[in-house]
Amino acid sequence: MTGPSSGSLNIVVGVTGGIAAYKVVSVLRTLVLSGHDVHVVATDAALRFVGKPTLEAISRNVVNTDLYEGVSQVRHVAIGQAADLILVAPATANTIAKLAAGIADDLLGNTLLASRAPVLIAPAMHTEMWHNPATVANVALLRSRGVRFIGPISGQLTGDDSGPGRLAEPDDIVAAVLALIEVTSAERAAAAAVPVADAVPAAAAQDLAGRRVLVTAGGTREALDPVRFLGNRSSGRQGVAIAEAAHVRGAAVTLIGANLEVPVASGITVISVVSATELASAVSAAAPHADLIVMAAAVADYRPETIADRKIKKDTAGDRLTLNLVKNPDILMALGQNRGQNQLIVGFAAETEADDDALVQLARGKIRRKGCDLLVVNRVGWSTGFSTVDNAVLVINPAGDIVMEAAGSKLSLAHRILDLTV
Ligand code: CTP
């Protein structure tokens, strides 16, 4: 199976009235430079923050705002109908509320209501607004309808305050759009493979139908005190791509996500965990029900022996702070030792080894120790492997043979890895 090709798509970007609107200009630019046809639908409030000429110059298309312009072309529905994907960035609490309620009192509301395209929302607001029960409920409702979210992240907000509510970084928004395009293209390709007569969604490409797939993704966090943790740089992208690829291919997928930084397609059961011990419990509860287990999560090998119940203060800790760490359970090894009947187990190895032969030797040792059926090895470093859209992997079997070597988008690699398990 080859990776889906996305080509040039019609991407509608809804820009709403938040100060973070200026950051979306760089999102538009990257999408246009990636070859996509980008159409901005801005609210009146958005144009108080960024000028229409800027949005038009960067998107290379006319910017639409007014519900009563272009009535002869029925523009209030035409833009949404033509869209392959809609991104709303920044999305204010007000826009999210309107979208949840299906309110269409401006062009963006109409566009969203008239579209069947996948929707990605990048919220930006003050922490109090993001945590307000109304916003929490609206986001949950939209998620349940298949709308995806990227961010908000924690950080400096417009004033002196900081906390969750900051717009996700533009590069991460672009990466989430591109990932969503890939998922959608894969779904379309699967649907296109089905004869029109029995075009139940994606029936023919369902080579994982009937399989129960358990995927872990993300990076665990080990608390030091109420505000600090030891963590790693895994975003969860590769694991989420595997879960989404398996879902598209008909599997019943459970994803145990540790602090995921990327949205997950609807239709996948997501269990959220934070630490390695939580991940271990969730895996041991779910594993007996899985035919295929893919351990893509980056699990902390150690955790602090004690967690301070109050913030560790430097006045008390002094010039040097020693942390005592204890070993976490090796989840993958335990799965290998208690494997269910006909259960297939895929492990991951993230290595910083630069030499190719040494990398393969490390991987051979690791697959023997872990007792899994396949080991997906990728090289990681300060700027490779984590958080990136593309990846390069090799896969070895218990005999130590390299059974696959590939580079490409994380979704295309996800399909290549799953091909080995069919
Ligand atoms: N893993 C796990 N439990 C742990 C650590 C890792 O299940 N406590 C899993 C990971 O999900 C991955 C595989 O083991 O599938 C390899 O993880 P990696 O971090 O590369 O290896 P380590 O076990 O940490 O070994 P080393 O310290 O030698 O790198």
Side-chain angles (χ1 to χ4, degrees), residues 82-343:
D84 293 309
L85 184 145
I86 302 182
L87 165 70
V88 186
T92 57
N94 181 52
T95 297
I96 290 173
K98 280 167 55 172
L99 184 51
I103 293 174
D105 62 351
D106 59 8
L107 187 61
L108 180 59
N110 277 269
T111 299
L112 285 158
L113 218 51
S115 181
R116 292 206 180 98
V119 176
L120 178 69
I121 293 186
M125 63 195 75
H126 282 276
T127 305
E128 293 80 358
M129 297 170 101
W130 178 246
H131 285 158
N132 186 288
T135 309
V136 171
N138 290 332
V139 169
L141 180 62
L142 289 169
R143 275 191 207 278
S144 75
R145 292 184 191 146
V147 171
R148 294 149 210 242
F149 284 79
I150 169 88
I153 55 174
S154 225
Q156 178 84 48
L157 302 173
T158 314
D160 287 336
D161 51 341
S162 63
R166 187 180 155 94
L167 184 75
E169 291 306 330
D171 282 353
D172 290 332
I173 296 177
V174 171
V177 169
L178 299 180
L180 186 51
I181 288 173
E182 290 213 50
V183 174
T184 317
S185 324
E187 282 168 355
R188 281 210 194 100
V194 183
V196 177
D198 56 350
V200 187
Q206 304 287 284
D207 57 352
L208 292 179
R211 299 275 294 277
R212 299 163 304 168
V213 177
L214 172 64
V215 182
T216 68
T220 61
R221 292 179 179 178
E222 309 301 317
L224 282 166
D225 68 16
V227 290
R228 303 185 180 100
F229 57 82
L230 298 175
N232 60 68
R233 290 173 43 222
S234 174
S235 62
R237 278 198 177 88
Q238 185 63 73
V240 168
I242 291 173
E244 294 189 340
H247 170 62
V248 164
R249 289 164 73 161
V253 183
T254 299
L255 173 69
I256 305 181
N259 313 295
L260 296 179
E261 289 172 14
V262 285
V264 180
S266 59
I268 293 171
T269 305
V270 182
I271 300 168
S272 297
V273 298
V274 176
S275 66
T277 37
E278 282 175 28
L279 179 64
S281 319
V283 168
S284 76
H289 313 290
D291 309 307
L292 167 65
I293 303 176
V294 183
M295 279 290 301
V299 187
D301 288 326
Y302 296 90
R303 66 178 181 279
E305 189 167 26
T306 52
I307 303 173
D309 53 7
R310 293 200 195 167
K311 190 177 167 204
I312 299 168
K313 303 295 267 182
K314 58 180 172 303
D315 283 353
T316 329
D319 288 344
R320 223 170 251 274
L321 175 66
T322 305
L323 298 174
N324 282 325
L325 304 178
V326 290
K327 219 171 188 177
N328 275 326
D330 192 317
I331 306 167
L332 181 58
M333 200 183 284
L335 285 171
Q337 287 162 356
N338 302 294
R339 155 198 311 270
Q341 226 185 357
N342 299 325
Q343 195 172 57

